[in-house]
């Protein structure tokens, strides 16, 4: 067992393996970040932004740059940032729970009628697409074979909102296309709860099988097509903070 002086935050699970090898991940208190992706927010209000009616967020995304009121987006951004470290730095500093919030929206440099993709958000959207940040998570898992990460996918931290209430205006087909890309990216890293229960699976077993990414998805039925190989956040994860903040 590594001493406090020797323990590396990048590999703290590996350093504690002799002590935690027979425990499940649910037996551990994992360091996590709230609104994980807010370190890279743009000044553009997302389509389908949290806390706004979809029609209002669409209009604000569309007209704010035209009217030259970017300072509004800058003010919102200043209030929305909850993290300063990027996702790799968070993981390297020991974070093992990611609150990954996403929405299907036009990009920060485009009007609302432009081609949409998945971006992260906290009212304003991120500068980059969600998949870029997820590839950074994949790179961390590739480089740290002793570490297990938990990720929760939602729009605004609501476990049980579904359909249009979770992702306004986004079809099931579009959601499931994203989920398919997610599964393709992470492959065998994803823990499969249809084969074993997380509370009955030890840390050592997760390392042996390589299933080192535990995924919770809100809007489980539409977002994943009811995929039994990922946890339904509504059933298995509770966020009691009002509004998902």
């Amino acid at each position: 067992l590594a001493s406090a002086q020797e323990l590396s935050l990048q590999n703290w699970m590996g350093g504690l393996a002799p002590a935690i090898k027979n425990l499940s991940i649910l037996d551990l208190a994992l360091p996590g970040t709230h609104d994980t992706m807010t370190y890279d927010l743009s000044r553009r209000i997302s389509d389908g932004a949290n806390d706004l009616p979809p029609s209002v967020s669409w209009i604000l995304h569309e007209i704010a740059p035209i009217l030259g009121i970017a300072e509004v987006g800058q003010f919102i951004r200043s209030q929305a940032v909850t993290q300063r470290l990027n996702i790799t730095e968070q993981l390297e500093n020991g974070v093992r729970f990611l609150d990954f919030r996403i929405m299907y929206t036009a990009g920060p440099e485009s009007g609302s009628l432009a081609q949409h993709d998945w971006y992260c958000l906290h009212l304003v959207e991120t500068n980059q697409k969600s998949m870029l940040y997820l590839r950074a998570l994949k790179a961390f898992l590739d480089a740290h074979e002793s570490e297990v990460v938990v990720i929760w996918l939602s729009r605004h931290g609501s476990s049980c909102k579904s359909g249009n209430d979770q992702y306004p205006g986004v079809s099931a087909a579009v959601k499931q296309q994203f989920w398919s890309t997610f599964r393709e990216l992470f492959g065998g890293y994803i823990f499969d709860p249809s084969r074993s229960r997380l509370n009955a699976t030890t840390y050592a077993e997760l390392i042996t099988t390589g299933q080192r990414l535990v995924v919770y998805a809100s809007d489980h039925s539409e977002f994943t097509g009811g995929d039994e190989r990922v946890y339904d956040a509504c059933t298995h994860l509770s966020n009691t903070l009002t509004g998902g903040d």
Side-chain angles (χ1 to χ4, degrees):
L1 184 64
S3 67
Q5 292 78 15
E6 297 171 337
L7 191 63
S8 164
L9 292 178
Q10 292 189 33
N11 300 289
W12 67 262
M13 288 183 168
L16 296 176
I20 68 173
K21 63 182 180 181
N22 293 321
L23 301 177
S24 79
I25 290 298
L26 297 180
D27 293 319
L28 306 178
L30 300 180
T33 46
H34 168 69
D35 272 299
T36 298
M37 304 311 304
T38 55
Y39 64 86
D40 193 29
L41 293 174
S42 70
R43 296 180 296 176
R44 198 71 173 259
I45 294 170
S46 172
D47 295 317
N50 52 283
D51 298 331
L52 290 174
S55 58
V56 173
S57 62
W58 189 95
I59 291 170
L60 289 175
H61 183 107
E62 186 71 21
I63 70 169
I66 297 173
L67 297 179
I69 53 174
E71 62 271 16
V72 174
Q74 179 60 36
F75 172 77
I76 294 172
R77 182 188 183 280
S78 71
Q79 303 304 302
V81 171
T82 64
Q83 306 301 329
R84 293 297 181 185
L85 299 181
N86 66 39
I87 188 169
T88 299
E89 291 168 337
Q90 290 178 40
L91 292 164
E92 289 177 343
N93 280 277
V95 168
R96 295 295 178 267
F97 180 91
L98 304 176
D99 174 19
F100 200 82
R101 303 188 182 193
I102 55 176
M103 182 58 197
Y104 191 66
T105 176
E109 303 300 326
S110 305
S112 292
L113 295 177
Q115 183 175 356
H116 284 38
D117 209 319
W118 290 90
Y119 289 78
C120 299
L121 79 159
H122 193 194
L123 195 62
V124 289
E125 63 190 86
T126 50
N127 288 299
Q128 305 294 332
K129 297 174 183 178
S130 299
M131 275 297 157
L132 180 121
Y133 308 117
L134 290 172
R135 285 195 288 271
L137 169 57
K138 168 67 161 46
F140 177 84
L141 291 172
D142 289 341
H144 300 81
E145 297 181 356
S146 65
E147 304 308 292
V148 178
V149 176
V150 179
I151 187 170
W152 176 21
L153 306 174
S154 74
R155 178 178 65 108
H156 189 46
S158 171
S159 302
C160 291
K161 284 185 178 180
S162 60
N164 208 51
D165 291 331
Q166 184 68 243
Y167 298 108
V170 185
S171 70
V174 168
K175 298 173 193 176
Q176 290 168 32
Q177 183 179 29
F178 179 85
W179 174 243
S180 177
T181 304
F182 183 101
R183 285 203 59 89
E184 182 178 353
L185 175 63
F186 290 103
Y189 280 141
I190 301 175
F191 177 75
D192 185 352
S194 70
R195 302 185 65 178
S196 60
R197 293 179 299 155
L198 189 58
N199 64 353
T201 304
T202 66
Y203 162 79
E205 289 169 335
L206 292 176
I207 299 305
T208 298
T209 62
Q211 294 188 8
R212 298 187 287 113
L213 182 65
V214 180
V215 184
Y216 293 86
S218 295
D219 191 25
H220 181 269
S221 178
E222 283 199 6
F223 191 83
T224 73
D227 193 341
E228 295 182 353
R229 297 168 294 178
V230 60
Y231 279 114
D232 182 347
C234 186
T235 304
H236 296 281
L237 191 151
S238 175
N239 180 16
T240 58
L241 296 177
T242 302
D245 287 322

